[in-house]
Amino acid sequence: MRRALIIVDVQKDFCEGGSIPVKGGAGRAAAIADLVERADGQYAFVVATRDHHIDPGDHFSENPDFQNSFPVHCVVGSGGGEFHPAFAPAVDAGLVDEVVFKGAHSASKSGFEGFTKDGTTLSDWLKARDVTDLDVVGIATDHCVKATALDGVRAGFTVRVLLDYTAGVAAGTTRTALDELRRADVALSGEPVVA
C-alpha cells in the first residue's frame, strides 16, 4: 500500500470572506495545514487541487442553482483563486508535492478532471508513483470532495475521506453526499463541518 493525501480546493473564494464561502472553510484550511505539517511520513505524496477558471461557461451564473452553476469564483489571476492563507504556508514550505489545476473551461468539480502544470492528469500522476490508496480532504464535502473521492474509486484507488478535514455547504446535500460515498465503498472517518 502506498497512500497519498489529496487536498481539494482550499482556496480563498471557498472560505469565509470569499465569493462562495463555506462555513468553517478557514478552520478546515488551518486544520489541513496542521495535518500536512505533522504527517511525518504517513503519506508518500501530498497533492492539492485548485479551481482554476478561465471561461467555464454556464458554471458561472448571475442566478446560480448552487449545484451546477455558481457565482464567479477562483478566476485565474484573482486573489480568490489563491490558496487560503492558513493553508498556503504548507504549500510554500514544499510540503505539497504537486498542484492540480481544474476547470479552466468547464465546471470540473473532481480533481481527476484536472492537470498538473505539465499536463499530466491526477490519475496518471498518482499511478506513475505507484500510489494505491487516497485520503481526501478539503472543500466542499458535498461538491468537489465528493466528486474527487468518487472519481478516485472509479480510477481504481482505495479511497477514504477524512471528514474532520472537510467542510460541507449544507446539511442536506452533505448527508446525500455521504450516502453516495458509502455506496461507492469510500471509507469515511470523522465528522464534517456543515453550515
Side-chain angles (χ1 to χ4, degrees):
M1 181 184 77
R2 201 166 201 206
R3 187 179 297 276
L5 177 66
I6 310 299
I7 301 165
V8 178
D9 299 357
V10 181
Q11 293 167 266
K12 291 179 183 177
D13 270 346
F14 298 136
C15 297
E16 293 85 348
S19 64
I20 45 175
V22 178
K23 183 180 178 183
R28 296 307 85 201
I32 290 167
D34 184 58
L35 173 67
V36 172
E37 288 164 6
R38 60 183 172 76
D40 194 30
Q42 180 179 357
Y43 296 107
F45 300 100
V46 177
V47 179
T49 72
R50 278 178 65 172
D51 253 18
H52 194 70
H53 296 309
I54 296 171
D55 180 9
D58 59 9
H59 182 55
F60 285 171
S61 173
E62 291 181 10
N63 300 295
D65 63 14
F66 293 96
Q67 290 299 313
N68 299 305
S69 61
F70 294 85
V72 174
H73 61 277
C74 298
V75 174
V76 173
S78 72
E82 298 299 319
F83 287 123
H84 188 275
F87 172 64
V91 180
D92 295 341
L95 301 177
V96 172
D97 298 293
E98 187 60 81
V99 176
V100 171
F101 300 89
K102 61 190 182 66
H105 299 283
S106 65
S108 296
K109 287 188 177 183
S110 168
F112 285 88
E113 297 175 88
F115 302 89
T116 65
K117 280 192 176 177
D118 70 3
T120 305
T121 66
L122 176 56
S123 182
D124 287 347
W125 193 94
L126 294 167
K127 288 179 179 179
R129 289 156 180 81
D130 299 321
V131 170
T132 57
D133 292 57
L134 306 177
D135 281 355
V136 181
V137 301
I139 307 169
T141 316
D142 38 353
H143 291 282
C144 297
V145 169
K146 176 188 81 169
T148 299
L150 292 174
D151 277 355
V153 170
R154 290 183 194 108
F157 298 96
T158 299
V159 180
R160 175 173 64 177
V161 174
L162 306 181
L163 295 172
D164 291 338
Y165 299 93
T166 70
V169 173
T173 52
T174 298
R175 280 193 301 271
T176 299
L178 298 184
D179 288 343
E180 286 182 61
L181 292 168
R182 288 186 192 100
R183 287 195 300 271
D185 292 327
V186 173
L188 302 176
S189 170
E191 294 293 329
V193 170
V194 179

